[in-house]
Every structure is written in C-alpha cells, then in structure tokens.
Amino acid sequence: MAVRPGRVTSAKIVIAGGFGVGKTTLVGSVSEITPLTTEAIMTSAGVGVDDTRNVPGKTTTTVAMDFGRISIDRDLILYLFGTPGQTRFWFMWDELVRGAIGAVVMVDTRRLADCFAAIDFFEHRRLPYLVAINCFDGVQYHNADDVREALAISSDVPVVSCDARSRESTKNVLISLVEYVLSMRRTRATAPA
C-alpha cells in the first residue's frame, strides 16, 4: 500500500460475518457515498433456511454484496465490500476477496458460531483479518479476551468492539485493520528468508 505523490492508490477491505450481524450497517455508516447494496426482501423461501430468531424484525438480506468507499485523502481510497452472510451465497466470497488487503469479521456474541466459517475462510486463504464485536443496543456482552478464546483465534489477531451504526466506531475498526495489515507486512519484510 505504498502511496506515490500524484497517484491514486486504492485498497480493498472485505466485511464478513454471519447472517444479520451488521455488515450492511457498517458499510453504510462509514461510506462517503451512498452504498450500493443488494438487499432483498426476505420471502417464505427463506423460512427454515434463514434463522431469524435472534434478529427479530429483520425483513431484508444481502444477496450479493454491499459496496462503499472512503477517501482517506486525494491519493488513497478504501473500497469496502460486504459479503452476504448466508451459506447459500458463499460461492461469491472467492471473487469478493480477490485483491483485498484484509477483512473485518463482524460478530454478534449472542451467535458466535455464525462467524466460524468466515474466520476459517480467511485463515485458509491467509488473508489478514480482525474480529469486530458488534455491540447491539450499545451492550458488549463479552470482553475481547473471552471472545478470542471462544473463537480459538491467535493472540495476534485483533479483537475490537464496535457499534456498526456509528461512523466513528466503524472508522476506528477500519483503522485498526489497516494498522494490523501494515504491521504484518513490515514483519514479513524484515523476517529472515
């Protein structure tokens, strides 16, 4: 992600996680443009497939991706790609992560099991990621260390809390991810061959 004066550099970040965890909300809260979303009204076809017990009132779902943009300055732009959360849409994930510098895995601590597949996906592809605990209703039910232990992830992987509705909060999540990616790249660059 070296930035050359007068030349625009872009970086792609993927926002992933389980169904109804706040991916679309995160992209929408921080994007400087009206985000492109592929929200569709949930129909009876999803009954028995989409578990809505823990997301009461959810009437729409992402069926392809969410897209947003953040200009850091005139020379650096972040592109955000939100994944669909249901397993029947995972065939798109390989294309969505192509060229990404890293990912945010959104978690709802009331449904931690919903994010295991996303973590496995990024670990298998060796794509740097962080875990963002979405504090629904402003409440963080479990601390970062407990979430890390429950997810069985490395101590190197950042675990941060956020409110996906808050621009400032989601901006801090993205900053944490970019700092983590840069740190990993510096470590790799200075490691003996």
Side-chain angles (χ1 to χ4, degrees):
M1 255 182 16
V3 179
R4 295 184 203 143
R7 184 172 174 187
V8 175
T9 299
S10 63
K12 179 179 185 179
I13 294 176
V14 175
I15 313 300
F19 171 68
V21 77
K23 301 174 297 291
T24 299
T25 302
L26 184 147
V27 171
S29 73
V30 74
S31 180
E32 68 190 20
I33 62 170
T34 301
L36 167 68
T37 63
T38 57
E39 289 286 294
I41 295 174
M42 296 174 65
T43 66
S44 59
V47 174
V49 178
D50 298 328
D51 184 359
T52 59
R53 288 176 294 187
N54 292 313
V55 283
K58 185 163 179 62
T59 59
T60 62
T61 189
T62 301
V63 296
M65 69 173 192
D66 300 314
F67 174 78
R69 184 185 74 205
I70 305 167
S71 297
I72 304 301
D73 62 31
R74 356 177 277 229
D75 299 332
L76 180 59
I77 298 171
L78 294 181
Y79 293 111
L80 307 177
F81 288 80
T83 65
Q86 299 95 315
T87 56
R88 67 181 181 275
F89 298 120
W90 285 353
F91 67 91
M92 292 184 266
W93 281 36
D94 280 321
E95 292 303 319
L96 289 174
V97 301
R98 190 180 316 273
I101 63 162
V104 172
V105 176
M106 298 286 295
V107 301
D108 176 349
T109 58
R110 300 168 297 183
R111 301 177 288 131
L112 272 182
D114 292 355
C115 73
F116 288 148
I119 289 171
D120 290 345
F121 181 88
F122 298 124
E123 286 181 347
H124 179 72
R125 284 155 184 81
R126 302 179 61 98
L127 185 68
Y129 69 93
L130 66 69
V131 171
I133 303 167
N134 194 4
C135 298
F136 288 88
D137 303 319
V139 178
Q140 182 170 333
Y141 296 98
H142 302 281
N143 68 42
D145 290 334
D146 290 343
V147 171
R148 177 185 311 286
E149 183 178 334
L151 297 176
I153 57 176
S154 166
S155 61
D156 297 341
V157 175
V159 178
V160 299
S161 61
C162 75
D163 179 342
R165 302 166 300 180
S166 163
R167 178 177 176 80
E168 192 64 28
S169 181
T170 56
K171 183 176 75 171
N172 288 332
V173 168
L174 297 173
I175 289 168
S176 294
L177 176 64
V178 171
E179 288 173 344
Y180 175 58
V181 169
L182 291 173
S183 171
M184 287 183 68
R185 288 183 178 188
R186 278 192 291 274
T187 300
R188 286 182 190 150
T190 59

